[in-house]
Amino acid sequence: MKLKLARMNTLFMRLFALALFSLLASHALTLMLIFGVFHRQHHVQAGRPPGFGMVMGIGVELLAVVCVAWFAAKIIARPIQQLSSAAAELGGNVDRAPLQEAGPIEARQAARAFNRMQSRLREQLAARGRFLAAVSHDLRTPLTRIRLRVERIAADETVLMLRADVAEMTTMLDATLDYLRGEAQVEPCVMLDIHSLVVSMAEDYAEQGFAIGTSGSVSPMPAHPNSLRRALSNLIENALRYGKQANVECTERTEGVTITVRDHGPGIPECELQAVFEPFYRLELSRNKGTGGVGLGLSIAREAIHRHGGALSLSNAIGGGLVASIFLPRSNSVTEA
């Protein structure tokens, strides 16, 4: 009950209640005066109660008052509702369409300020991406020279460690460039058979000797093929790396599609289920150079799913293992990646 009341505590409902109360109060006072001064004397003298026509007239008047209050509150609250919705959407999609600058002066000013803020955010993110990409690219040259020089040195324990360090740095640079390319990539949205994509990817991994299975079925939906493939690939590879096997299940829902990737590995501590989505964040158990990743796989996957207007979450499975759940809504929230 409290939750329902909290959901009704909106600007629209407040404006509607205020307008309705004002109109009803004014009409009630008017009717009281009319009934008290004129109709009461008339009906007492005539010896009959108020007629049905008067009751119908009052009912029609009340209905008109309610309709006027409803539409007045809706018109007044619409710009604020649009701004609130746009602000909530901006957190997950900075490339969303700009607000329409229409309506009263205050609404146009607010929409214009919001669009300027969104434009600045896009410019800052693009500049950050270009800077990081340039730095990562420029680091390749000295790193390549170091690798070539190390290869000429006679192999011993120190040289092997240097080679491993160089290989790790190269992997990190490659992953960073892939991450930044994924952010900047422009990919059209097409109707995609997600089930066929999952089955095809599973067959590729199975041919390489990995234990992977699929289940479920979903109907085609709008998506970015390469972006979604990259997200699924990162999740499946994490499952195979830490759990030695993976199962991918597709589930059709009324509001969208759910894809889960389940493994039977050690899982993740509950306190770190959100932290692992941060770029370059790695669990202590995954810092082994032979098994641990760079720390960008989950970040890339989450960004790709966000571009679809969806969500990616992690949870520890009952009985052990990790479950990565992707939800993709069947709406027009898919943006140009």
Side-chain angles (χ1 to χ4, degrees), residues 53-297:
M54 178 64 69
V55 176
M56 286 295 295
I58 295 174
V60 172
E61 184 178 14
L62 289 176
L63 180 61
V65 168
V66 171
C67 292
V68 170
W70 176 273
F71 285 107
K74 191 174 185 65
I75 292 173
I76 295 174
R78 183 180 299 152
I80 304 299
Q81 292 172 338
Q82 291 176 344
L83 183 60
S84 175
S85 177
E89 187 180 348
L90 184 65
N93 178 24
V94 73
D95 294 318
R96 62 174 305 281
L99 277 176
Q100 183 179 2
E101 299 179 10
I105 295 177
E106 294 82 0
R108 293 199 301 269
Q109 290 176 343
R112 193 175 300 115
F114 180 87
N115 291 337
R116 285 199 301 266
M117 178 189 68
Q118 181 181 353
S119 178
R120 292 194 189 101
L121 284 174
R122 282 201 301 263
E123 292 174 358
Q124 291 175 0
L125 290 175
R128 184 203 66 175
R130 290 192 298 268
F131 171 76
L132 292 177
V135 171
S136 299
H137 184 270
D138 291 342
L139 284 175
R140 284 177 175 272
T141 302
L143 192 58
T144 301
R145 290 199 302 264
I146 293 174
R147 187 178 68 252
L148 293 175
R149 290 169 181 170
V150 170
E151 292 294 334
R152 298 176 183 175
I153 303 176
D156 57 19
E157 184 177 356
T158 302
V159 172
L160 294 177
M161 293 175 62
L162 286 174
R163 291 177 181 175
D165 290 337
V166 171
E168 184 181 10
M169 292 177 65
T170 302
T171 301
M172 291 182 65
L173 287 175
D174 291 340
T176 302
L177 289 175
D178 289 341
Y179 176 70
L180 295 173
R181 276 194 294 265
E183 283 191 332
Q185 183 179 7
V186 177
E187 182 184 4
C189 179
V190 299
M191 289 299 296
L192 179 65
D193 189 341
I194 296 179
H195 178 255
S196 297
L197 173 64
V198 169
V199 172
S200 174
M201 294 179 65
E203 290 176 350
D204 291 340
Y205 284 108
E207 290 178 357
Q208 300 175 43
F210 294 105
I212 182 172
T214 62
S215 59
S217 178
V218 295
S219 56
M221 64 178 294
H224 302 296
N226 294 332
S227 182
L228 184 58
R229 175 185 286 272
R230 186 185 301 113
L232 289 172
S233 177
N234 288 337
L235 296 177
I236 292 173
E237 288 178 4
N238 277 348
L240 295 175
R241 180 184 297 120
Y242 300 112
K244 307 304 179 184
Q245 58 180 332
N247 183 77
V248 186
E249 180 180 5
C250 301
T251 306
E252 185 81 49
R253 302 190 182 279
T254 304
E255 64 278 10
V257 169
T258 298
I259 308 172
T260 59
V261 180
R262 164 76 189 275
D263 65 49
H264 296 276
I268 295 177
E270 293 290 335
C271 60
E272 297 189 272
L273 285 174
Q274 291 300 319
V276 292
F277 285 111
E278 297 299 323
F280 300 108
Y281 184 91
R282 293 188 296 176
L283 297 173
E284 289 298 326
L285 295 177
S286 71
R287 292 186 181 276
N288 183 281
K289 296 177 183 179
T291 60
V294 174
L296 283 174

